[in-house]
């Protein structure tokens, strides 16, 4: 259970409790930073039976992986709290993060690892199969559908590329042009050269028999037998809560969806706000997202160390020179404090 209570303030508030967020929290907690993960509990890979391509955790159930991560974070004093962030505001010393249930917490730095939403084609029966025999990533699901009759539904700019990738796992791949123009030129040549059949015509629905995908039904009634279907979802970063800070998603250069741009360290254009994982890297798998979370956390800690050092140097100089502007400012604060409490 995600049951930790919120404290008044933290060095870092992490919005998003997936692989990137928990990995970042682990790194920061081990760096002796106060950190909380606010987890809405809606991981993108929840429909999947297992996480693949993750060294030493191959095939682990997504929920189990996350629960292990929560335990590890808490083991170093980090907090993990169930909740959904409704708004984020700037304050003099950082940020005020307000949850949908009215709770709020302050943060010196903000790390957003909320991931993305998969916008799927509006086809009867498709969403119910998502993550099972309707898949998107050959590296996540290719082995599980190897040597099967695989269909690739054209619904984005990377459809031909996706078909060529899935051909690595099966010799029986069919490309459904659906509502897009059929491939021409070099695209058509590459598909033909790899033995990938192209079927024209709009797909109307999926054929499911005994809770298993059995085929793809076209608008003219034709059913093409398939036991797996690959689609390219439109991926959209979940960053609506950052609009108040001037951060908005951008169209990805690939045309695959919307992401939040950041520099290689995860730093955004808004000072103090960082991102990691699928929210800024649409194609990152679990391992890559976790690695990005750890790397960005190290950068955030270094940023906080620099700030702590600047403050320490200012205090040190004030002690060395009682007539410095810093010392006079501190004296003024003491006098005003005495008057307030006198």
């Amino acid at each position: 259970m995600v049951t930790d209570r919120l404290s008044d303030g933290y060095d870092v508030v992490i919005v998003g409790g997936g692989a990137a967020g928990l990995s970042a929290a682990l790194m920061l907690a081990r760096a002796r930073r106060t950190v909380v993960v606010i987890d809405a509990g809606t991981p993108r890979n929840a429909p999947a039976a297992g996480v693949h391509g993750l060294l030493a955790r191959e095939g682990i159930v997504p929920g189990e992986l996350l629960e292990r991560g929560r335990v590890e974070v808490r083991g170093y004093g980090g907090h993990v709290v169930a909740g959904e962030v409704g708004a984020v505001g700037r304050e003099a010393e950082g940020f005020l993060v307000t949850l949908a249930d009215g709770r709020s917490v302050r943060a010196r730095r903000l790390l957003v690892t909320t991931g993305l939403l998969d916008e799927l084609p509006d086809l009867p029966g498709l969403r119910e199969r998502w993550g099972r025999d309707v898949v998107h990533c050959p590296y996540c699901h290719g082995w599980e559908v190897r040597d099967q009759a695989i269909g690739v539904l054209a619904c984005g700019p990377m459809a031909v590329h996706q078909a060529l990738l899935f051909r690595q796992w099966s010799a029986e791949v069919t490309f459904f042009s659906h509502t897009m123009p059929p491939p021409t030129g070099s695209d058509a040549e590459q598909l033909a050269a790899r033995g990938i059949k192209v079927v024209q015509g709009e797909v109307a629905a999926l054929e499911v028999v005994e809770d298993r995908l059995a085929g793809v039904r076209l608008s003219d009634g034709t059913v093409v037998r398939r036991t797996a279907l690959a689609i390219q979802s439109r991926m959209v970063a979940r960053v609506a809560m950052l609009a108040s800070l001037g951060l908005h998603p951008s169209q990805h250069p690939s045309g695959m969806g919307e992401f939040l741009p950041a520099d290689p360290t995860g730093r955004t254009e808004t000072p103090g706000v960082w991102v990691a994982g699928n929210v800024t890297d649409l194609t990152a798998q679990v391992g890559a997202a976790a690695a990005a979370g750890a790397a960005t956390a190290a950068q955030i800690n270094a940023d906080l160390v620099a700030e702590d050092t600047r403050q320490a140097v200012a205090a040190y100089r004030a002690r060395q020179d009682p007539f410095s502007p810093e010392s006079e400012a501190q004296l003024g604060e003491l006098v005003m404090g005495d008057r307030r409490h006198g």
Side-chain angles (χ1 to χ4, degrees):
M1 293 290 292
V2 188
T3 56
D4 282 358
R5 293 184 178 180
L6 282 171
S7 298
D8 292 335
Y10 296 86
D11 289 324
V12 185
V13 168
I14 299 174
V15 186
L22 291 172
S23 181
L26 180 63
M27 182 70 77
L28 288 163
R30 283 178 50 82
R32 311 190 74 174
R33 292 292 178 186
T34 56
V35 60
V36 61
V37 177
I38 300 175
D39 182 11
T42 55
R44 179 194 183 198
N45 63 355
V51 175
H52 298 291
L54 185 62
L55 187 64
R57 287 291 181 266
E58 167 60 31
I60 188 171
V61 176
E64 181 184 349
L65 178 67
L66 297 182
E67 182 54 33
R68 288 189 181 194
R70 296 182 196 115
V71 170
E72 291 175 351
V73 169
R74 291 192 175 108
Y76 288 98
H79 291 178
V80 183
V81 175
E84 183 175 353
V85 172
V88 180
R90 171 73 73 179
E91 290 195 329
E93 300 300 323
F95 305 93
L96 179 66
V97 180
T98 304
L99 278 62
D101 61 11
R103 291 179 294 168
S104 63
V105 61
R106 287 174 168 80
R108 295 173 64 188
R109 299 292 186 273
L110 185 68
L111 173 58
V112 179
T113 61
T114 43
L116 55 83
L117 292 172
D118 290 293
E119 294 182 350
L120 305 178
D122 186 17
L123 288 176
L126 187 145
R127 182 167 291 278
E128 293 76 12
R129 314 304 307 170
W130 179 241
R132 300 166 66 189
D133 39 29
V134 174
V135 299
H136 71 294
C137 170
Y139 300 104
C140 301
H141 305 284
W143 178 264
E144 283 64 43
V145 300
R146 67 192 184 281
D147 298 326
Q148 294 186 30
I150 301 173
V152 176
L153 184 68
C155 50
M158 302 296 288
V160 170
H161 175 68
Q162 188 177 42
L164 293 171
L165 285 179
F166 271 97
R167 177 62 179 80
Q168 175 64 23
W169 281 265
S170 175
E172 194 177 346
V173 177
T174 297
F175 183 92
F176 295 92
S177 61
H178 190 38
T179 57
M180 297 183 68
T184 59
S186 63
D187 285 344
E189 183 180 43
Q190 290 178 65
L191 294 175
R194 293 291 282 159
I196 299 173
K197 182 182 178 181
V198 175
V199 174
Q200 298 185 37
E202 185 174 354
V203 173
L206 304 186
E207 294 290 316
V208 178
V209 177
E210 296 182 350
D211 198 30
R212 295 181 65 89
L213 180 67
V216 172
R217 178 160 50 85
L218 304 180
S219 57
D220 65 3
T222 302
V223 174
V224 181
R225 186 186 67 85
R226 297 288 96 178
T227 56
L229 182 68
I231 67 170
Q232 179 193 314
S233 64
R234 184 174 184 273
M235 299 175 282
V236 180
R238 298 193 273 197
V239 292
M241 80 292 291
L242 297 179
S244 59
L245 300 178
L247 290 172
H248 305 276
S250 299
Q251 291 294 327
H252 196 272
S254 68
M256 296 170 62
E258 299 177 1
F259 75 119
L260 193 66
D263 73 9
T265 70
R267 191 191 303 261
T268 71
E269 295 180 349
T270 297
V273 181
W274 307 67
V275 291
N278 285 137
V279 73
T280 189
D281 183 357
L282 296 182
T283 61
Q285 292 180 263
V286 170
T296 299
Q299 294 292 330
I300 293 173
N301 182 61
D303 190 46
L304 288 168
V305 166
E307 181 177 280
D308 294 340
T309 303
R310 288 193 298 271
Q311 294 172 350
V313 167
Y316 174 80
R317 289 175 177 174
R319 293 194 300 270
Q320 299 303 308
D321 182 1
F323 301 104
S324 68
E326 294 89 347
S327 180
E328 291 179 0
Q330 289 184 347
L331 178 61
E333 291 178 3
L334 289 173
V335 170
M336 291 301 296
D338 291 341
R339 289 177 179 174
R340 285 193 295 268
H341 298 291

